[in-house]
């Protein structure tokens, strides 16, 4: 069986003042019916990948196929079966209402009138935009606009849907609602495929059947979230909270037995949070001793289950 999406050594180089390799021989295979995640930090090449797959940008070398069609040879065929929504985009016509915008897009895709009306009504309900349906788009908030864009992507009922950071900047409830809906949308429609990019670890973990971790244009790993997590199992992962401090704590990462160390200040809670991956638990006393010597007040220590983030850190060498 062919793949819904496939790339082979896909490479894209941008030549402006300096040369940027946005995608570096990236190979992925997405099966029909999959919700496939591309997880990577800023500048990893996620949007470049989506643009090539959506036939908006040509590869420098390598191959990409969507729905079995070559992005370079048959872009027209691909455009008929896909849709794309980007979390950061400012799309839609400000002088038209939310409903009119969605109607316009549905008609550009030739969706029969009655069907389009029903779908638009359902979608607006699902994303909680019903009350805004007859408001002009230049009067709605950016989060509401983003929800409208998601509806715009779904209203054509695409066979393959690309979501570029669909929950970027949305509040917690709106993000959760969108994740839930995306998941159920796919579950109820056999044969559809979604490729989504995100730099939210929990989003990838919650939504995706498989995840490709990319950094600097390279695919570093590709597997199910649980298989990726297994790569850090057996290692002891700890979270240590201390009273907020402005001391440099880099040396904590150099202590014997510390595989990885990460520090994050949370002034709103008055704490500095440290995360450790240790060779084993016996290393903890030396960490605490060192902190006490530095007169840092230890507040809380807990052992954590390995997360996709730990895996990401192990593979990419930094957090997102
Ligand atoms: N049109 C362009 N011209 C020059 N460089 C570009 C262009 N588009 C992207 N790049 C560069 O290519 C690299 C990958 O960019 P891309 O937008 O694909 O990353 P991303 O993973 O989507 O990042 P983000 O999480 O910030 O959206 C970056 O270094 C970026 O600066
Ligand atoms: Mg991007």
């Amino acid at each position: 069986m062919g793949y819904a999406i496939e790339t082979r050594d896909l490479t894209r180089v941008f030549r402006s003042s300096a040369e940027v390799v946005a995608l570096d021989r990236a190979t992925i295979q997405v099966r029909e019916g999959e919700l496939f995640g591309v997880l990577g930090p800023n500048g990893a090449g996620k949007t470049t990948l989506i643009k090539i797959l959506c036939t908006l940008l040509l590869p420098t070398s390598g191959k990409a196929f969507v729905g079995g069609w070559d992005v370079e040879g048959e872009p027209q065929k691909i455009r008929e079966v896909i849709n794309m929504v980007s979390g950061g985009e400012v799309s839609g016509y400000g002088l038209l209402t939310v409903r009119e915008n969605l109607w316009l897009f549905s008609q550009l895709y030739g969706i029969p009138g009655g069907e389009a009306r029903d779908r638009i009504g359902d979608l607006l309900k699902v994303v909680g935009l019903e009350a805004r349906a007859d408001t002009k788009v230049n009067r709605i908030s950016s989060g509401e606009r983003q929800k409208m864009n998601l509806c715009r992507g779904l209203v054509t009922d695409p066979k393959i849907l690309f979501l570029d950071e669909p929950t970027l900047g949305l509040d917690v409830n709106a993000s959760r609602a969108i994740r839930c809906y995306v998941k159920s949308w796919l579950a109820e429609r056999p044969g559809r495929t979604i490729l989504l990019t995100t730099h939210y670890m929990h989003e990838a973990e919650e939504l995706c059947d498989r995840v490709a971790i990319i950094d600097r244009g390279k695919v570093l790993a590709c597997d199910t979230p649980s298989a990726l997590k297994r790569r850090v199992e057996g290692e002891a992962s700890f979270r240590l909270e201390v009273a907020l401090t402005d001391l440099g704590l880099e040396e904590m990462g150099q202590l014997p037995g510390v595989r990885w160390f990460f520090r994050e200040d949370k002034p709103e809670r008055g704490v500095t949070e440290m995360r450790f991956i240790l060779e084993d638990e016996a290393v903890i006393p030396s960490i605490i001793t060192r902190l006490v010597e530095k007169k840092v007040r230890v507040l809380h220590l807990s052992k954590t289950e390995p997360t996709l983030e730990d895996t990401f850190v192990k593979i990419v060498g930094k957090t997102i």
Side-chain angles (χ1 to χ4, degrees):
M1 194 195 81
Y3 293 103
I5 301 166
E6 185 180 10
T7 70
R8 293 182 204 148
D9 286 332
L10 189 64
T11 299
R12 171 70 206 208
V13 180
F14 289 109
R15 292 189 179 85
S16 38
S17 47
E19 196 176 88
V20 180
V21 184
L23 278 180
D24 191 355
R25 283 166 292 147
T27 297
I28 58 165
Q29 291 158 339
V30 181
R31 294 186 275 267
E32 193 179 287
E34 259 190 317
L35 210 170
F36 188 91
V38 176
L39 178 67
N42 291 134
K46 304 180 295 293
T47 300
T48 304
L49 173 66
I50 286 206
K51 282 187 175 161
I52 292 175
L53 296 173
C54 290
T55 75
L56 297 172
L57 192 69
L58 285 170
T60 305
S61 64
K63 282 287 182 192
F65 302 89
V66 175
W69 289 295
D70 187 333
V71 294
E72 288 181 272
E74 289 165 301
Q76 226 36 61
K77 294 275 191 210
I78 294 175
R79 288 174 197 174
E80 284 170 21
V81 298
I82 64 167
N83 207 331
M84 192 263 259
V85 178
S86 158
E89 80 188 298
V90 194
S91 81
Y93 297 96
L95 291 176
L96 298 182
T97 67
V98 171
R99 199 193 301 278
E100 287 164 347
N101 264 284
L102 294 174
W103 175 254
L104 173 68
F105 280 103
S106 74
Q107 295 315 293
L108 290 175
Y109 279 78
I111 314 289
E115 204 174 322
R117 248 188 307 275
D118 290 348
R119 268 191 219 164
I120 291 169
D122 291 347
L123 285 166
L124 289 175
K125 207 177 296 170
V126 165
V127 300
L129 268 187
E130 260 178 322
R132 307 301 264 157
D134 300 310
T135 306
K136 289 201 172 92
V137 167
N138 58 16
R139 296 276 159 79
I140 63 177
S141 76
S142 61
E144 288 167 340
R145 217 171 193 173
Q146 199 161 327
K147 293 180 192 171
M148 179 188 79
N149 286 333
L150 182 72
C151 295
R152 203 247 312 124
L154 294 174
V155 76
T156 62
D157 202 17
K159 203 160 166 4
I160 301 174
L161 177 64
F162 295 93
L163 298 174
D164 193 7
E165 314 225 18
T167 61
L168 187 72
L170 289 182
D171 68 44
V172 179
N173 287 327
S175 304
R176 191 178 303 136
I178 285 189
R179 282 199 296 276
C180 267
Y181 185 63
V182 163
K183 211 167 177 165
S184 68
W185 184 86
L186 191 64
E188 287 163 13
R189 289 168 181 75
R192 304 292 196 281
T193 305
I194 297 179
L195 182 145
L196 83 87
T197 73
T198 182
H199 55 246
Y200 301 129
M201 213 72 62
H202 63 98
E203 186 158 288
E205 189 161 3
E206 184 183 323
L207 277 182
C208 301
D209 299 313
R210 286 192 306 141
V211 178
I213 293 180
I214 74 167
D215 187 37
R216 292 186 222 163
K218 287 194 165 69
V219 177
L220 301 179
C222 179
D223 218 325
T224 60
S226 53
L228 287 171
K229 279 194 291 186
R230 274 200 296 278
R231 297 189 187 194
V232 289
E233 247 165 35
E235 294 179 327
S237 176
F238 289 89
R239 191 178 302 266
L240 181 63
E241 271 183 12
V242 300
L244 189 63
T245 172
D246 49 17
L247 286 176
L249 295 169
E250 295 74 23
E251 66 181 281
M252 306 308 295
Q254 322 285 300
L255 292 173
V258 176
R259 289 235 177 97
W260 172 73
F261 164 71
F262 176 71
R263 171 249 187 95
E264 192 174 7
D265 291 329
K266 304 203 159 158
E268 68 289 353
R269 288 175 47 223
V271 302
T272 293
E273 186 179 297
M274 288 182 262
R275 311 248 322 266
F276 292 91
I277 295 178
L278 307 176
E279 268 160 30
D280 84 65
E281 302 186 9
V283 181
I284 291 172
S286 66
I287 293 175
I288 306 284
T289 305
R290 194 68 201 101
L291 288 170
V292 171
E293 282 165 11
K294 289 169 81 79
K295 303 206 162 38
V296 173
R297 200 152 57 85
V298 175
L299 300 174
H300 185 75
L301 171 69
S302 58
K303 187 168 184 180
T304 55
E305 286 302 308
T307 62
L308 196 51
E309 183 163 19
D310 295 329
T311 317
F312 184 89
V313 164
K314 189 170 171 189
I315 292 170
V316 179
K318 59 177 187 243
T319 55
I320 272 201

mmCIF file of all heavy atoms in Angstrom, residues 146-181:
data_model
loop_
_atom_site.group_PDB
_atom_site.id
_atom_site.type_symbol
_atom_site.label_atom_id
_atom_site.label_comp_id
_atom_site.label_asym_id
_atom_site.label_seq_id
_atom_site.Cartn_x
_atom_site.Cartn_y
_atom_site.Cartn_z
ATOM 1 N N GLN A 146 -8.378 32.090 14.748
ATOM 2 C CA GLN A 146 -7.704 30.809 14.581
ATOM 3 C C GLN A 146 -8.702 29.655 14.548
ATOM 4 O O GLN A 146 -8.561 28.710 13.789
ATOM 5 C CB GLN A 146 -6.736 30.636 15.730
ATOM 6 C CG GLN A 146 -5.693 29.625 15.433
ATOM 7 C CD GLN A 146 -4.532 29.809 16.359
ATOM 8 O OE1 GLN A 146 -4.221 30.922 16.759
ATOM 9 N NE2 GLN A 146 -3.901 28.727 16.706
ATOM 10 N N LYS A 147 -9.722 29.750 15.397
ATOM 11 C CA LYS A 147 -10.761 28.718 15.376
ATOM 12 C C LYS A 147 -11.481 28.737 14.031
ATOM 13 O O LYS A 147 -11.821 27.699 13.477
ATOM 14 C CB LYS A 147 -11.754 28.951 16.505
ATOM 15 C CG LYS A 147 -11.164 28.746 17.877
ATOM 16 C CD LYS A 147 -12.217 29.001 18.923
ATOM 17 C CE LYS A 147 -11.623 29.110 20.313
ATOM 18 N NZ LYS A 147 -12.611 29.565 21.288
ATOM 19 N N MET A 148 -11.722 29.937 13.514
ATOM 20 C CA MET A 148 -12.373 30.034 12.211
ATOM 21 C C MET A 148 -11.500 29.381 11.144
ATOM 22 O O MET A 148 -11.991 28.668 10.264
ATOM 23 C CB MET A 148 -12.624 31.500 11.855
ATOM 24 C CG MET A 148 -13.288 31.630 10.500
ATOM 25 S SD MET A 148 -13.379 33.331 9.953
ATOM 26 C CE MET A 148 -11.705 33.581 9.380
ATOM 27 N N ASN A 149 -10.194 29.609 11.241
ATOM 28 C CA ASN A 149 -9.288 29.010 10.261
ATOM 29 C C ASN A 149 -9.324 27.495 10.305
ATOM 30 O O ASN A 149 -9.244 26.833 9.276
ATOM 31 C CB ASN A 149 -7.851 29.499 10.477
ATOM 32 C CG ASN A 149 -7.683 30.929 10.021
ATOM 33 O OD1 ASN A 149 -8.404 31.388 9.151
ATOM 34 N ND2 ASN A 149 -6.750 31.635 10.625
ATOM 35 N N LEU A 150 -9.443 26.957 11.516
ATOM 36 C CA LEU A 150 -9.544 25.503 11.607
ATOM 37 C C LEU A 150 -10.816 25.040 10.890
ATOM 38 O O LEU A 150 -10.806 24.076 10.130
ATOM 39 C CB LEU A 150 -9.547 25.049 13.065
ATOM 40 C CG LEU A 150 -9.599 23.535 13.221
ATOM 41 C CD1 LEU A 150 -8.272 22.895 12.816
ATOM 42 C CD2 LEU A 150 -9.948 23.120 14.643
ATOM 43 N N CYS A 151 -11.910 25.757 11.108
ATOM 44 C CA CYS A 151 -13.164 25.417 10.414
ATOM 45 C C CYS A 151 -12.961 25.505 8.899
ATOM 46 O O CYS A 151 -13.442 24.669 8.148
ATOM 47 C CB CYS A 151 -14.284 26.376 10.802
ATOM 48 S SG CYS A 151 -14.748 26.266 12.525
ATOM 49 N N ARG A 152 -12.218 26.507 8.479
ATOM 50 C CA ARG A 152 -11.950 26.690 7.053
ATOM 51 C C ARG A 152 -11.218 25.473 6.496
ATOM 52 O O ARG A 152 -11.470 25.016 5.397
ATOM 53 C CB ARG A 152 -11.108 27.964 6.881
ATOM 54 C CG ARG A 152 -11.182 28.608 5.555
ATOM 55 C CD ARG A 152 -9.880 28.540 4.771
ATOM 56 N NE ARG A 152 -8.688 28.928 5.485
ATOM 57 C CZ ARG A 152 -7.623 28.153 5.620
ATOM 58 N NH1 ARG A 152 -7.618 26.928 5.133
ATOM 59 N NH2 ARG A 152 -6.565 28.585 6.261
ATOM 60 N N GLY A 153 -10.299 24.922 7.296
ATOM 61 C CA GLY A 153 -9.553 23.751 6.845
ATOM 62 C C GLY A 153 -10.407 22.496 6.805
ATOM 63 O O GLY A 153 -10.187 21.605 5.998
ATOM 64 N N LEU A 154 -11.405 22.428 7.681
ATOM 65 C CA LEU A 154 -12.209 21.204 7.785
ATOM 66 C C LEU A 154 -13.436 21.235 6.887
ATOM 67 O O LEU A 154 -13.989 20.201 6.548
ATOM 68 C CB LEU A 154 -12.647 21.000 9.235
ATOM 69 C CG LEU A 154 -11.501 20.724 10.220
ATOM 70 C CD1 LEU A 154 -12.029 20.691 11.645
ATOM 71 C CD2 LEU A 154 -10.803 19.417 9.887
ATOM 72 N N VAL A 155 -13.841 22.432 6.491
ATOM 73 C CA VAL A 155 -15.118 22.558 5.789
ATOM 74 C C VAL A 155 -15.075 21.858 4.420
ATOM 75 O O VAL A 155 -16.090 21.405 3.910
ATOM 76 C CB VAL A 155 -15.523 24.054 5.651
ATOM 77 C CG1 VAL A 155 -14.744 24.766 4.574
ATOM 78 C CG2 VAL A 155 -17.018 24.169 5.406
ATOM 79 N N THR A 156 -13.880 21.691 3.873
ATOM 80 C CA THR A 156 -13.786 21.025 2.567
ATOM 81 C C THR A 156 -13.652 19.509 2.725
ATOM 82 O O THR A 156 -13.532 18.796 1.739
ATOM 83 C CB THR A 156 -12.570 21.546 1.775
ATOM 84 O OG1 THR A 156 -11.378 21.228 2.509
ATOM 85 C CG2 THR A 156 -12.642 23.051 1.592
ATOM 86 N N ASP A 157 -13.651 19.044 3.983
ATOM 87 C CA ASP A 157 -13.531 17.619 4.265
ATOM 88 C C ASP A 157 -12.343 17.000 3.511
ATOM 89 O O ASP A 157 -12.512 16.050 2.747
ATOM 90 C CB ASP A 157 -14.840 16.913 3.862
ATOM 91 C CG ASP A 157 -14.976 15.590 4.603
ATOM 92 O OD1 ASP A 157 -14.275 15.390 5.606
ATOM 93 O OD2 ASP A 157 -15.769 14.747 4.151
ATOM 94 N N PRO A 158 -11.146 17.537 3.727
ATOM 95 C CA PRO A 158 -9.988 17.084 2.940
ATOM 96 C C PRO A 158 -9.593 15.652 3.268
ATOM 97 O O PRO A 158 -9.814 15.183 4.384
ATOM 98 C CB PRO A 158 -8.878 18.046 3.377
ATOM 99 C CG PRO A 158 -9.257 18.445 4.762
ATOM 100 C CD PRO A 158 -10.755 18.519 4.762
ATOM 101 N N LYS A 159 -9.011 15.000 2.298
ATOM 102 C CA LYS A 159 -8.542 13.635 2.501
ATOM 103 C C LYS A 159 -7.264 13.662 3.340
ATOM 104 O O LYS A 159 -7.033 12.809 4.180
ATOM 105 C CB LYS A 159 -8.263 12.994 1.142
ATOM 106 C CG LYS A 159 -8.303 11.512 1.169
ATOM 107 C CD LYS A 159 -8.514 10.968 -0.225
ATOM 108 C CE LYS A 159 -8.217 9.477 -0.313
ATOM 109 N NZ LYS A 159 -7.873 8.768 0.894
ATOM 110 N N ILE A 160 -6.458 14.681 3.090
ATOM 111 C CA ILE A 160 -5.218 14.842 3.852
ATOM 112 C C ILE A 160 -5.179 16.282 4.372
ATOM 113 O O ILE A 160 -5.308 17.227 3.595
ATOM 114 C CB ILE A 160 -3.988 14.547 2.976
ATOM 115 C CG1 ILE A 160 -4.070 13.113 2.444
ATOM 116 C CG2 ILE A 160 -2.701 14.769 3.766
ATOM 117 C CD1 ILE A 160 -3.009 12.734 1.449
ATOM 118 N N LEU A 161 -5.059 16.387 5.687
ATOM 119 C CA LEU A 161 -5.111 17.717 6.303
ATOM 120 C C LEU A 161 -3.768 18.044 6.952
ATOM 121 O O LEU A 161 -3.200 17.223 7.674
ATOM 122 C CB LEU A 161 -6.223 17.725 7.359
ATOM 123 C CG LEU A 161 -6.408 19.009 8.183
ATOM 124 C CD1 LEU A 161 -6.831 20.177 7.295
ATOM 125 C CD2 LEU A 161 -7.451 18.785 9.283
ATOM 126 N N PHE A 162 -3.283 19.229 6.680
ATOM 127 C CA PHE A 162 -2.035 19.698 7.293
ATOM 128 C C PHE A 162 -2.365 20.779 8.307
ATOM 129 O O PHE A 162 -3.049 21.753 7.971
ATOM 130 C CB PHE A 162 -1.098 20.268 6.225
ATOM 131 C CG PHE A 162 -0.640 19.236 5.248
ATOM 132 C CD1 PHE A 162 -1.332 19.035 4.057
ATOM 133 C CD2 PHE A 162 0.467 18.447 5.519
ATOM 134 C CE1 PHE A 162 -0.918 18.066 3.152
ATOM 135 C CE2 PHE A 162 0.885 17.477 4.625
ATOM 136 C CZ PHE A 162 0.191 17.280 3.435
ATOM 137 N N LEU A 163 -1.891 20.599 9.526
ATOM 138 C CA LEU A 163 -2.132 21.598 10.569
ATOM 139 C C LEU A 163 -0.771 22.078 11.073
ATOM 140 O O LEU A 163 -0.013 21.300 11.669
ATOM 141 C CB LEU A 163 -2.925 20.977 11.726
ATOM 142 C CG LEU A 163 -4.321 20.442 11.386
ATOM 143 C CD1 LEU A 163 -4.928 19.721 12.599
ATOM 144 C CD2 LEU A 163 -5.251 21.559 10.944
ATOM 145 N N ASP A 164 -0.452 23.313 10.790
ATOM 146 C CA ASP A 164 0.834 23.853 11.224
ATOM 147 C C ASP A 164 0.621 24.605 12.539
ATOM 148 O O ASP A 164 0.103 25.712 12.544
ATOM 149 C CB ASP A 164 1.404 24.779 10.134
ATOM 150 C CG ASP A 164 2.875 25.115 10.383
ATOM 151 O OD1 ASP A 164 3.474 24.539 11.312
ATOM 152 O OD2 ASP A 164 3.415 25.960 9.644
ATOM 153 N N GLU A 165 0.977 23.982 13.643
ATOM 154 C CA GLU A 165 0.802 24.556 14.978
ATOM 155 C C GLU A 165 -0.623 25.066 15.216
ATOM 156 O O GLU A 165 -0.848 26.247 15.443
ATOM 157 C CB GLU A 165 1.799 25.699 15.192
ATOM 158 C CG GLU A 165 3.182 25.286 14.723
ATOM 159 C CD GLU A 165 4.284 25.653 15.671
ATOM 160 O OE1 GLU A 165 3.990 25.925 16.842
ATOM 161 O OE2 GLU A 165 5.435 25.635 15.239
ATOM 162 N N PRO A 166 -1.580 24.129 15.185
ATOM 163 C CA PRO A 166 -2.989 24.533 15.234
ATOM 164 C C PRO A 166 -3.415 25.223 16.528
ATOM 165 O O PRO A 166 -4.394 25.949 16.521
ATOM 166 C CB PRO A 166 -3.747 23.219 15.057
ATOM 167 C CG PRO A 166 -2.790 22.161 15.478
ATOM 168 C CD PRO A 166 -1.431 22.672 15.087
ATOM 169 N N THR A 167 -2.689 25.019 17.612
ATOM 170 C CA THR A 167 -3.134 25.626 18.879
ATOM 171 C C THR A 167 -2.198 26.736 19.346
ATOM 172 O O THR A 167 -2.287 27.186 20.482
ATOM 173 C CB THR A 167 -3.242 24.557 19.992
ATOM 174 O OG1 THR A 167 -1.952 23.980 20.197
ATOM 175 C CG2 THR A 167 -4.230 23.475 19.637
ATOM 176 N N LEU A 168 -1.337 27.177 18.446
ATOM 177 C CA LEU A 168 -0.376 28.228 18.804
ATOM 178 C C LEU A 168 -1.083 29.441 19.399
ATOM 179 O O LEU A 168 -1.964 30.027 18.776
ATOM 180 C CB LEU A 168 0.385 28.648 17.541
ATOM 181 C CG LEU A 168 1.551 29.611 17.736
ATOM 182 C CD1 LEU A 168 2.718 28.908 18.393
ATOM 183 C CD2 LEU A 168 1.975 30.197 16.400
ATOM 184 N N GLY A 169 -0.714 29.797 20.625
ATOM 185 C CA GLY A 169 -1.250 31.018 21.227
ATOM 186 C C GLY A 169 -2.689 30.939 21.723
ATOM 187 O O GLY A 169 -3.215 31.928 22.203
ATOM 188 N N LEU A 170 -3.316 29.770 21.615
ATOM 189 C CA LEU A 170 -4.697 29.670 22.124
ATOM 190 C C LEU A 170 -4.687 29.420 23.625
ATOM 191 O O LEU A 170 -3.732 28.865 24.163
ATOM 192 C CB LEU A 170 -5.428 28.517 21.436
ATOM 193 C CG LEU A 170 -5.789 28.708 19.969
ATOM 194 C CD1 LEU A 170 -6.549 27.483 19.465
ATOM 195 C CD2 LEU A 170 -6.629 29.953 19.762
ATOM 196 N N ASP A 171 -5.769 29.809 24.303
ATOM 197 C CA ASP A 171 -5.805 29.542 25.739
ATOM 198 C C ASP A 171 -6.006 28.044 25.991
ATOM 199 O O ASP A 171 -6.293 27.275 25.072
ATOM 200 C CB ASP A 171 -6.844 30.406 26.456
ATOM 201 C CG ASP A 171 -8.268 30.052 26.084
ATOM 202 O OD1 ASP A 171 -8.599 28.849 26.015
ATOM 203 O OD2 ASP A 171 -9.064 30.979 25.858
ATOM 204 N N VAL A 172 -5.831 27.648 27.239
ATOM 205 C CA VAL A 172 -5.818 26.228 27.584
ATOM 206 C C VAL A 172 -7.099 25.512 27.147
ATOM 207 O O VAL A 172 -7.057 24.444 26.549
ATOM 208 C CB VAL A 172 -5.631 26.055 29.112
ATOM 209 C CG1 VAL A 172 -5.647 24.592 29.499
ATOM 210 C CG2 VAL A 172 -4.330 26.699 29.540
ATOM 211 N N ASN A 173 -8.249 26.151 27.420
ATOM 212 C CA ASN A 173 -9.513 25.502 27.075
ATOM 213 C C ASN A 173 -9.712 25.383 25.581
ATOM 214 O O ASN A 173 -10.145 24.350 25.076
ATOM 215 C CB ASN A 173 -10.688 26.266 27.682
ATOM 216 C CG ASN A 173 -10.755 26.040 29.169
ATOM 217 O OD1 ASN A 173 -10.406 24.962 29.649
ATOM 218 N ND2 ASN A 173 -11.165 27.060 29.896
ATOM 219 N N ALA A 174 -9.386 26.447 24.867
ATOM 220 C CA ALA A 174 -9.555 26.424 23.417
ATOM 221 C C ALA A 174 -8.623 25.378 22.802
ATOM 222 O O ALA A 174 -9.024 24.624 21.909
ATOM 223 C CB ALA A 174 -9.273 27.803 22.833
ATOM 224 N N SER A 175 -7.384 25.307 23.302
ATOM 225 C CA SER A 175 -6.441 24.308 22.771
ATOM 226 C C SER A 175 -6.971 22.909 22.987
ATOM 227 O O SER A 175 -6.934 22.065 22.103
ATOM 228 C CB SER A 175 -5.088 24.387 23.474
ATOM 229 O OG SER A 175 -4.564 25.663 23.390
ATOM 230 N N ARG A 176 -7.491 22.684 24.189
ATOM 231 C CA ARG A 176 -7.984 21.353 24.510
ATOM 232 C C ARG A 176 -9.171 21.004 23.607
ATOM 233 O O ARG A 176 -9.258 19.907 23.069
ATOM 234 C CB ARG A 176 -8.387 21.279 25.983
ATOM 235 C CG ARG A 176 -8.653 19.862 26.431
ATOM 236 C CD ARG A 176 -9.000 19.794 27.905
ATOM 237 N NE ARG A 176 -7.978 20.361 28.762
ATOM 238 C CZ ARG A 176 -8.225 21.162 29.790
ATOM 239 N NH1 ARG A 176 -9.457 21.500 30.097
ATOM 240 N NH2 ARG A 176 -7.243 21.629 30.525
ATOM 241 N N ALA A 177 -10.062 21.963 23.418
ATOM 242 C CA ALA A 177 -11.235 21.715 22.574
ATOM 243 C C ALA A 177 -10.791 21.375 21.150
ATOM 244 O O ALA A 177 -11.327 20.455 20.520
ATOM 245 C CB ALA A 177 -12.144 22.940 22.572
ATOM 246 N N ILE A 178 -9.803 22.093 20.672
ATOM 247 C CA ILE A 178 -9.351 21.849 19.299
ATOM 248 C C ILE A 178 -8.672 20.488 19.180
ATOM 249 O O ILE A 178 -8.931 19.728 18.250
ATOM 250 C CB ILE A 178 -8.447 23.008 18.822
ATOM 251 C CG1 ILE A 178 -9.367 24.192 18.514
ATOM 252 C CG2 ILE A 178 -7.595 22.603 17.627
ATOM 253 C CD1 ILE A 178 -8.732 25.354 17.844
ATOM 254 N N ARG A 179 -7.855 20.154 20.172
ATOM 255 C CA ARG A 179 -7.205 18.832 20.125
ATOM 256 C C ARG A 179 -8.248 17.717 20.129
ATOM 257 O O ARG A 179 -8.164 16.769 19.365
ATOM 258 C CB ARG A 179 -6.258 18.661 21.311
ATOM 259 C CG ARG A 179 -4.951 19.393 21.133
ATOM 260 C CD ARG A 179 -3.900 18.837 22.075
ATOM 261 N NE ARG A 179 -4.238 19.044 23.460
ATOM 262 C CZ ARG A 179 -3.974 20.170 24.132
ATOM 263 N NH1 ARG A 179 -3.360 21.169 23.530
ATOM 264 N NH2 ARG A 179 -4.314 20.294 25.389
ATOM 265 N N CYS A 180 -9.242 17.864 21.005
ATOM 266 C CA CYS A 180 -10.307 16.866 21.087
ATOM 267 C C CYS A 180 -11.005 16.723 19.746
ATOM 268 O O CYS A 180 -11.248 15.624 19.270
ATOM 269 C CB CYS A 180 -11.372 17.314 22.086
ATOM 270 S SG CYS A 180 -11.090 16.689 23.682
ATOM 271 N N TYR A 181 -11.324 17.868 19.147
ATOM 272 C CA TYR A 181 -12.077 17.804 17.916
ATOM 273 C C TYR A 181 -11.259 17.205 16.782
ATOM 274 O O TYR A 181 -11.754 16.379 16.012
ATOM 275 C CB TYR A 181 -12.617 19.183 17.517
ATOM 276 C CG TYR A 181 -13.494 19.032 16.307
ATOM 277 C CD1 TYR A 181 -14.650 18.269 16.394
ATOM 278 C CD2 TYR A 181 -13.127 19.555 15.084
ATOM 279 C CE1 TYR A 181 -15.444 18.046 15.276
ATOM 280 C CE2 TYR A 181 -13.913 19.347 13.970
ATOM 281 C CZ TYR A 181 -15.075 18.595 14.067
ATOM 282 O OH TYR A 181 -15.840 18.359 12.974
#
